């Protein structure tokens, strides 16, 4: 009802302005004299003013001048005013010509300019009044004071978006930008105080509550440096994603997200040889085990882009399988997708599926990976990780799968827990079976991935949301981290390089101290570590190391043509002996104790040294 009333008022104002523009144009044309000529042409116009007014209003309606929310008016709305004014005045000239009521030609030009000024001006005026009214009504004490990092187009758009959305109670007050030519100038009335080195001082001077980093074109290294500086301010941090993440490069208020721990890593985008990756995936039947998990689901997403002949997902957990199935069906309409529920531990099920589907490439991501849980259930770790891999590898070899890529972990190197030892056995199995099979078997070894199921990041975020404490096992514990998309891109790239028998090792960048990670996450959430959110040291968990390794002493390391991928020197592993050992391990699992299983695994994996942590 209010909206209809406002439209009627705007109609009435426009009707008045349309006619006032003509009268004022006549007044200007005759130099302010109400003489006989003025009266003559005024009477001419009045003979047709009703039809002209109605037709102009209809044209304005057609150009949607009554449908826009003018408090969000922009250049697009003003261009519609210009178009409507030109069309309306062209129609007015036609009507007057057909009725034989021509006006002086200069009047038409003056009326056109006045229409643009009056019709556009009244709308911008309403916007200004509305902005002033809302600003006055907003309690200044509830407004967040915002610093924008980046004085370019993106920063200007962020300022505009914040002003257009008064309900956010966010007031941009200052900008910092590294371009010295901009210092001392302003963007949309907001001053540019200096470069990134001035962020802490400027935040204190302007009493900043929140900082928005608006440099979509910046490198990951620059973003990491800026975030590290911003952490000193105590202000809450948000960021406009990289331009590759922005749909159509359009900045909206919804584009702004929380700063994530990935933004602190400072790792530039992975360079992938897409031709090589496409070469072994396009038009091929590709299977992903554990396809509903963190790594597996991202593998499925990136494989789907390569347009395989068919994508097959195998997972034991139906909810995660159903979730990735729906996602892929929605996004890739032409994808031939099959999703199977089943366990790699079920030898018959694995053989049936591979015999039926005949995949060309298998990415093996199914595994039990949670270290403390596997310490309490060592038999399950071996059943799933080792014998599940054996089932799958044997079926792959039997069905002449072209390429088999297994996901491994840095915990397989000098393992101190049964999960790591189980994955080392998997690596040994992959290297051994490669020698007796036509299938190219390889493993890809890397460290922790950010945000994966069961990883430390989601745990820390949950603890912060609950007010703490954030629990860290040891002050000196360090880990390598990589984002899930990064890891998957490199896994696919390693698959393209594989010739069989390799263990590829991904460059994980610099190791991160977990205590520093906890402190950073607390600060990124807008709190101060130890004072607002406590951090509690709880001691290393069973089987946990202070630091992880990516390479066995005897393996050595060789570079590849990709600067983020290395390959370990293959070790001599006899498949026949390993097969006999695994058959004996199988009997120990069914007939022996957990202690016996661990003891036997230590015989098979000499580097496995179980650690007892209190």
């Amino acid at each position: 009802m209010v909206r209809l009333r406002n439209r009627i008022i705007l109609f009435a104002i426009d009707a008045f302005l349309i006619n006032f523009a003509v009268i004022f144009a006549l007044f200007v044309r005759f130099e302010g004299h109400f003489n006989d000529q003025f009266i003559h042409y005024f009477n001419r116009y009045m003979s047709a003013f009703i039809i002209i007014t109605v037709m102009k209003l209809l044209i304005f309606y057609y150009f949607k001048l009554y449908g826009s929310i003018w408090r969000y008016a922009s250049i697009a709305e003003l261009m519609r005013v210009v178009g409507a004014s030109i069309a309306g005045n062209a129609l007015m000239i036609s009507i007057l010509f057909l009725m034989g009521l021509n006006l002086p030609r200069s009047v038409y030009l003056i009326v056109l300019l006045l229409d643009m000024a009056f019709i556009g001006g009244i709308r911008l005026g309403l916007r200004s009044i509305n902005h002033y009214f809302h600003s006055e009504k907003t309690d200044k004490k509830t407004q967040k004071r915002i610093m924008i990092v980046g004085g370019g187009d993106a920063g200007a758009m962020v300022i505009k978006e914040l002003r257009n959305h008064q309900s956010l109670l966010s007031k941009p007050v200052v900008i910092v930008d590294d371009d010295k030519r901009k210092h001392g100038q302003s963007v949309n009335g907001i001053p540019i105080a200096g470069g990134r080195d001035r962020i802490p001082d400027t935040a204190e001077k302007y009493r900043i509550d929140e900082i928005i980093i608006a440099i979509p074109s910046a490198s990951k290294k620059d973003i990491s440096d800026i975030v590290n500086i911003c952490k000193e301010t105590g202000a809450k941090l948000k960021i406009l994603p990289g331009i590759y993440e922005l749909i159509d490069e359009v900045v909206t208020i919804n584009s702004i997200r929380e700063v994530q721990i990935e933004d602190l890593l400072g790792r530039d985008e992975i360079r992938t040889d897409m031709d090589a990756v496409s070469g072994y995936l396009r038009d091929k039947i590709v299977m992903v085990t554990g396809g509903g998990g963190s790594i597996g689901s991202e593998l499925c997403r990136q494989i789907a882009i390569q347009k395989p002949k068919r994508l097959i997902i195998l997972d034991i957990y139906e909810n995660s399988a159903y979730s990735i199935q729906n996602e892929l069906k929605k996004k890739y309409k032409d994808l031939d997708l099959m999703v199977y529920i089943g366990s790699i531990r079920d030898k018959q099920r694995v053989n049936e599926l591979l015999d039926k589907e005949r995949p060309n490439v298998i990415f093996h991501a199914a595994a039990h990976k949670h270290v403390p849980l596997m310490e309490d259930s060592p038999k399950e770790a071996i059943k799933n990780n080792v014998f599940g891999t054996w089932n799958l590898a044997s079926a792959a070899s039997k069905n002449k799968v072209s390429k088999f890529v297994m996901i491994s972990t840095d915990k397989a190197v000098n393992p101190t827990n049964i999960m790591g030892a189980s994955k080392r056995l998997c690596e040994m199995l992959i290297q051994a079976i490669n020698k007796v099979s036509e299938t190219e078997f390889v493993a890809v070894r890397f460290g922790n991935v950010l945000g994966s199921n069961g990883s430390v990041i989601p745990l820390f975020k949950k603890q912060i949301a609950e007010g703490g404490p954030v629990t860290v096992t040891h002050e000196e514990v360090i880990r390598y981290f990589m984002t899930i998309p990064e890891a998957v891109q490199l896994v696919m790239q390693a698959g393209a390089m594989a010739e069989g028998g390799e263990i590829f090792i991904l460059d994980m960048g610099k190791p991160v101290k977990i205590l520093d990670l906890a402190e950073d996450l607390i600060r990124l959430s807008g709190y101060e570590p130890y004072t607002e959110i406590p951090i509690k040291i709880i001691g290393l968990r069973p089987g946990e190391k202070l630091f992880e390794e990516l390479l066995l002493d005897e393996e050595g390391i060789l570079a590849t043509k990709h600067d983020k991928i290395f390959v370990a020197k293959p070790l001599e592993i006899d498949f026949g002996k390993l097969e006999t050992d695994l058959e004996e391990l199988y009997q120990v699992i069914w007939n022996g104790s957990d202690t016996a299983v661990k003891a036997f695994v230590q015989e098979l994996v000499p580097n496995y040294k179980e650690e007892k942590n209190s």
Side-chain angles (χ1 to χ4, degrees):
M1 195 69 181
V2 173
R3 192 174 177 183
L4 178 60
R5 182 199 66 193
N6 291 342
R7 282 187 175 183
I8 292 172
I9 292 172
L10 202 52
F11 264 113
I13 293 172
D14 284 350
F16 170 77
L17 292 174
I18 287 167
N19 292 289
F20 179 72
V22 176
I23 295 168
F24 191 73
L26 287 170
F27 182 75
V28 172
R29 168 63 179 78
F30 295 107
E31 299 178 352
H33 299 299
F34 294 101
N35 52 25
D36 291 341
Q37 282 184 303
F38 175 90
I39 294 170
H40 168 72
Y41 284 114
F42 174 78
N43 289 333
R44 275 190 164 197
Y45 174 73
M46 293 305 292
S47 300
F49 91 94
I50 293 177
I51 186 171
I52 289 171
T53 302
V54 170
M55 296 306 294
K56 275 195 170 183
L57 290 175
L58 287 174
I59 285 175
F60 289 178
Y61 183 82
Y62 175 78
F63 274 81
K64 296 183 172 60
L65 299 194
Y66 304 105
S68 293
I69 303 173
W70 283 90
R71 61 176 169 167
Y72 301 148
S74 66
I75 296 298
E77 279 74 22
L78 291 181
M79 291 306 295
R80 283 207 290 269
V81 168
V82 172
S85 300
I86 293 171
N89 282 283
L91 183 62
M92 180 184 77
I93 293 170
S94 301
I95 291 170
L96 291 174
F97 176 77
L98 291 173
M99 295 177 68
L101 301 172
N102 292 333
L103 302 178
R105 282 173 293 181
S106 59
V107 168
Y108 296 132
L109 178 59
I110 296 170
V111 170
L112 174 61
L113 296 175
L114 289 175
D115 272 357
M116 292 178 187
F118 289 163
I119 303 304
I122 191 66
R123 283 155 173 76
L124 291 180
L126 290 172
R127 175 188 176 180
S128 299
I129 292 169
N130 180 77
H131 178 76
Y132 177 79
F133 176 76
H134 279 276
S135 297
E136 286 297 305
K137 192 166 69 172
T138 300
D139 183 356
K140 295 293 190 286
K141 291 182 181 178
T142 65
Q143 281 191 321
K144 291 179 290 186
R145 296 174 64 83
I146 308 295
M147 173 193 290
I148 310 292
V149 180
D153 292 340
M157 288 297 294
V158 169
I159 292 169
K160 179 190 169 187
E161 285 286 294
L162 292 176
R163 286 174 170 170
N164 284 343
H165 293 78
Q166 298 290 328
S167 60
L168 295 175
L169 301 177
S170 297
K171 181 182 179 182
V173 294
V174 69
I175 299 169
V176 295
D177 193 291
D178 285 339
D179 188 346
K180 293 182 179 180
R181 294 170 298 178
K182 296 179 181 179
H183 297 174
Q185 300 184 39
S186 64
V187 175
N188 292 341
I190 307 300
I192 300 176
R196 70 178 72 173
D197 57 309
R198 296 290 309 280
I199 287 175
D201 294 340
T202 304
E204 183 177 358
K205 177 181 177 181
Y206 284 86
R207 307 187 311 282
I208 296 300
D209 301 302
E210 185 171 289
I211 299 173
I212 299 176
I213 301 170
I215 324 173
S217 59
S219 69
K220 291 286 188 73
K221 176 66 167 59
D222 275 339
I223 293 297
S224 174
D225 291 344
I226 291 168
V227 169
N228 279 312
I229 294 171
C230 290
K231 286 190 307 183
E232 301 174 21
T233 66
K236 190 173 179 64
L237 301 184
K238 290 189 177 179
I239 191 170
L240 196 66
I243 207 70
Y244 61 94
E245 297 179 61
L246 293 174
I247 299 173
D248 298 327
E249 301 184 7
V250 174
V251 176
T252 69
I253 204 69
N254 293 326
S255 306
I256 301 169
R257 63 165 171 79
E258 301 288 331
V259 171
Q260 298 166 351
I261 203 68
E262 293 93 317
D263 298 313
L264 282 169
L265 290 181
R267 295 167 64 95
D268 288 323
E269 291 305 300
I270 294 294
R271 173 184 55 82
T272 306
D273 183 352
M274 298 313 299
D275 290 337
V277 171
S278 293
Y280 79 101
L281 295 179
R282 186 180 293 271
D283 297 324
K284 298 294 194 298
I285 300 172
V286 184
M287 172 181 275
V288 180
T289 69
S294 306
I295 296 293
S297 61
E298 183 62 23
L299 270 166
C300 292
R301 292 182 192 99
Q302 295 195 29
I303 290 167
I305 296 171
Q306 303 304 321
K307 298 183 179 179
K309 181 178 180 181
R310 171 175 282 192
L311 176 58
I312 303 158
I313 295 174
L314 175 63
D315 203 293
I316 187 62
Y317 185 44
E318 60 181 319
N319 289 351
S320 59
Y322 180 69
S323 177
I324 189 64
Q325 180 186 47
N326 284 344
E327 180 186 333
L328 293 175
K329 280 186 173 181
K330 182 178 180 181
K331 190 170 183 181
Y332 303 99
K333 306 292 185 185
D334 299 328
L335 177 65
D336 184 355
L337 176 67
M338 285 299 299
V339 178
Y340 293 106
I341 300 301
S343 171
I344 56 172
R345 290 163 58 167
D346 186 337
K347 187 174 183 178
Q348 181 179 347
R349 176 64 166 160
V350 168
N351 282 323
E352 284 175 354
L353 285 179
L354 266 68
D355 184 60
K356 175 184 177 182
E357 293 291 353
R358 300 281 175 162
N360 304 109
V361 180
I362 294 176
F363 288 94
H364 177 34
H368 285 328
K369 62 178 185 177
H370 200 282
V371 170
L373 289 179
M374 293 305 99
E375 285 301 291
D376 294 330
S377 303
K379 292 182 180 181
E380 299 308 305
I382 300 300
K383 286 180 191 175
N384 193 72
N385 294 357
V386 179
F387 291 105
T389 299
W390 193 5
N391 291 337
L392 192 66
S394 299
S397 181
K398 176 185 173 184
N399 287 280
K400 294 181 170 52
V401 171
S402 174
K403 201 179 293 280
F404 185 109
V405 182
M406 188 194 79
I407 306 299
S408 190
T409 169
D410 56 0
K411 293 175 178 62
V413 180
N414 299 320
T416 56
N417 53 71
I418 195 65
M419 194 285 285
S422 71
K423 294 300 282 186
R424 177 59 192 147
L425 271 174
C426 291
E427 291 181 350
M428 293 164 64
L429 175 62
I430 290 302
Q431 289 189 310
I433 198 172
N434 181 75
K435 295 178 181 178
V436 297
S437 173
E438 295 178 27
T439 302
E440 294 175 355
F441 286 93
V442 299
V444 182
R445 187 189 290 166
F446 53 91
N448 299 276
V449 287
L450 292 166
S452 65
N453 296 330
S455 73
V456 72
I457 306 297
L459 173 63
F460 283 173
K461 287 181 176 179
K462 182 174 182 292
Q463 291 174 334
I464 292 167
E466 293 171 350
V470 171
T471 56
V472 176
T473 57
H474 194 283
E475 295 94 330
E476 299 301 322
V477 68
I478 62 173
R479 293 290 181 268
Y480 293 96
F481 282 100
M482 182 179 280
T483 67
I484 294 174
E486 271 184 311
V488 167
Q489 286 178 51
L490 290 175
V491 166
M492 292 168 65
Q493 183 74 67
M497 298 176 181
E499 296 178 356
E502 302 99 331
I503 295 179
F504 290 101
I505 300 167
L506 305 189
D507 177 4
M508 299 295 296
K510 295 179 181 178
V512 177
K513 187 182 285 190
I514 298 299
L515 183 60
D516 292 343
L517 190 68
E519 293 172 353
D520 286 341
L521 271 175
I522 292 170
R523 290 192 181 97
L524 292 179
S525 301
Y527 302 103
E528 190 61 31
Y530 304 106
T531 55
E532 294 179 291
I533 300 288
I535 296 177
K536 183 179 179 182
I537 307 299
I538 60 173
L540 290 172
R541 299 173 297 181
E544 186 176 17
K545 296 182 184 179
L546 277 179
F547 61 93
E548 300 291 358
E549 304 157 274
L550 287 166
L551 193 68
L552 292 167
D553 290 339
E554 64 268 27
E555 283 179 321
I557 191 169
L558 300 171
T560 69
K561 60 185 178 181
H562 195 290
D563 60 354
K564 300 291 184 183
I565 302 175
F566 300 88
V567 62
K569 184 176 66 177
L571 301 179
E572 290 299 322
I573 300 170
D574 183 83
F575 178 69
K577 182 179 185 309
L578 181 61
E579 196 172 28
T580 301
D581 289 340
L582 291 181
E583 287 171 354
E584 190 173 343
L585 175 59
Y586 188 80
Q587 296 302 317
V588 175
I589 284 175
W590 287 106
N591 301 313
S593 64
D594 287 350
T595 303
V597 169
K598 288 186 177 182
F600 195 86
V601 170
Q602 282 181 324
E603 291 181 24
L604 301 183
V605 184
N607 304 91
Y608 173 30
K609 300 289 189 295
E610 189 177 3
E611 289 188 4
K612 302 293 184 182
N613 296 316
S614 58

